[in-house]
């Protein structure tokens, strides 16, 4: 067991979706899995998130983050434009 949350998700997906569904094509599998994943992330409350949906929990976290974090150094200052590139041998 590597990660309890991942193992729980994998078991739930297997029990609720993969064991119950006969996929007729790759496109059908993608469509059904996308619908199940959307339902799992937007409609189902999760106890380990305080009974919020993952989408609502993520939106709450995003609101707590600072609006924009300024870079410590500019990327252009970090480059030395005077150095020559290495020439490939051979």
């Amino acid at each position: 067991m590597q990660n309890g949350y991942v193992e729980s998700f994998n078991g739930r997906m297997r029990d609720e979706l993969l064991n119950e569904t006969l996929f007729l094509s790759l496109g059908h599998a993608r469509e059904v899995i996308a619908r199940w994943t959307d339902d799992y992330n937007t409609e189902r409350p999760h106890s380990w998130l305080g009974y919020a949906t993952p989408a609502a929990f993520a939106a709450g976290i995003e609101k707590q983050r600072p609006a924009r974090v300024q870079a410590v150094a500019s990327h252009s200052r970090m480059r030395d434009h005077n150095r020559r590139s290495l020439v490939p041998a051979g």
Side-chain angles (χ1 to χ4, degrees):
M1 184 167 164
Q2 296 294 319
N3 182 327
Y5 297 116
V6 173
E7 296 291 331
S8 175
F9 172 81
N10 288 344
R12 186 165 287 120
M13 184 178 196
R14 185 173 35 260
D15 291 342
E16 295 177 9
L17 177 68
L18 301 177
N19 290 345
E20 304 275 330
T21 309
L22 176 63
F23 299 109
L24 304 175
S25 66
L26 183 58
H28 179 242
R30 287 179 176 155
E31 179 185 324
V32 171
I33 291 169
R35 268 197 324 258
W36 185 87
T37 305
D38 184 57
D39 177 66
Y40 185 84
N41 288 325
T42 60
E43 300 297 325
R44 297 183 186 189
H46 297 270
S47 61
W48 54 275
L49 296 177
Y51 294 97
T53 64
F57 184 80
I61 294 294
E62 191 63 33
K63 287 180 185 177
Q64 295 174 3
R65 293 178 62 190
R68 182 160 172 98
V69 177
Q70 295 295 324
V72 175
S74 169
H75 294 291
S76 62
R77 292 181 187 168
M78 296 172 69
R79 294 184 186 143
D80 184 2
H81 297 288
N82 295 327
R83 288 191 175 179
R84 294 201 277 164
S85 299
L86 296 175
V87 179

